[in-house]
PDB file of all heavy atoms in Angstrom:
ATOM      1  N   THR A  31      -8.186   5.249  -5.093  1.00 78.00           N
ATOM      2  CA  THR A  31      -8.508   6.669  -5.158  1.00 78.00           C
ATOM      3  C   THR A  31      -7.392   7.511  -4.552  1.00 78.00           C
ATOM      4  O   THR A  31      -7.084   8.588  -5.063  1.00 78.00           O
ATOM      5  CB  THR A  31      -9.817   6.932  -4.387  1.00 78.00           C
ATOM      6  OG1 THR A  31     -10.771   5.952  -4.763  1.00 78.00           O
ATOM      7  CG2 THR A  31     -10.363   8.284  -4.713  1.00 78.00           C
ATOM      8  N   ALA A  36      -3.076  11.346  -5.297  1.00 81.00           N
ATOM      9  CA  ALA A  36      -1.661  11.682  -5.110  1.00 81.00           C
ATOM     10  C   ALA A  36      -0.986  11.960  -6.448  1.00 81.00           C
ATOM     11  O   ALA A  36      -0.203  12.909  -6.583  1.00 81.00           O
ATOM     12  CB  ALA A  36      -0.948  10.557  -4.376  1.00 81.00           C
ATOM     13  N   LEU A  41       1.345  15.798 -10.235  1.00 78.00           N
ATOM     14  CA  LEU A  41       1.385  16.399 -11.565  1.00 78.00           C
ATOM     15  C   LEU A  41       1.108  17.899 -11.517  1.00 78.00           C
ATOM     16  O   LEU A  41       1.745  18.680 -12.227  1.00 78.00           O
ATOM     17  CB  LEU A  41       0.385  15.708 -12.493  1.00 78.00           C
ATOM     18  CG  LEU A  41       0.781  14.318 -12.976  1.00 78.00           C
ATOM     19  CD1 LEU A  41      -0.354  13.697 -13.770  1.00 78.00           C
ATOM     20  CD2 LEU A  41       2.049  14.378 -13.799  1.00 78.00           C
ATOM     21  N   THR A  90     -29.121  16.457  -2.787  1.00 82.00           N
ATOM     22  CA  THR A  90     -29.418  15.432  -1.789  1.00 82.00           C
ATOM     23  C   THR A  90     -29.325  15.932  -0.361  1.00 82.00           C
ATOM     24  O   THR A  90     -29.400  15.138   0.561  1.00 82.00           O
ATOM     25  CB  THR A  90     -28.455  14.236  -1.951  1.00 82.00           C
ATOM     26  OG1 THR A  90     -27.114  14.688  -1.782  1.00 82.00           O
ATOM     27  CG2 THR A  90     -28.626  13.575  -3.294  1.00 82.00           C
ATOM     28  N   THR A 114     -12.068   9.229  28.022  1.00 94.00           N
ATOM     29  CA  THR A 114     -10.681   9.684  28.063  1.00 94.00           C
ATOM     30  C   THR A 114     -10.315  10.134  29.464  1.00 94.00           C
ATOM     31  O   THR A 114      -9.214   9.861  29.950  1.00 94.00           O
ATOM     32  CB  THR A 114     -10.465  10.832  27.062  1.00 94.00           C
ATOM     33  OG1 THR A 114     -10.849  10.390  25.764  1.00 94.00           O
ATOM     34  CG2 THR A 114      -9.026  11.282  27.026  1.00 94.00           C
ATOM     35  N   GLY A 115     -11.231  10.819  30.141  1.00 93.00           N
ATOM     36  CA  GLY A 115     -10.994  11.225  31.530  1.00 93.00           C
ATOM     37  C   GLY A 115     -10.830  10.026  32.452  1.00 93.00           C
ATOM     38  O   GLY A 115      -9.930   9.999  33.312  1.00 93.00           O
TER      39      GLY A 115
END
Side-chain angles (χ1 to χ4, degrees):
T31 314
L41 286 174
T90 60
T114 304

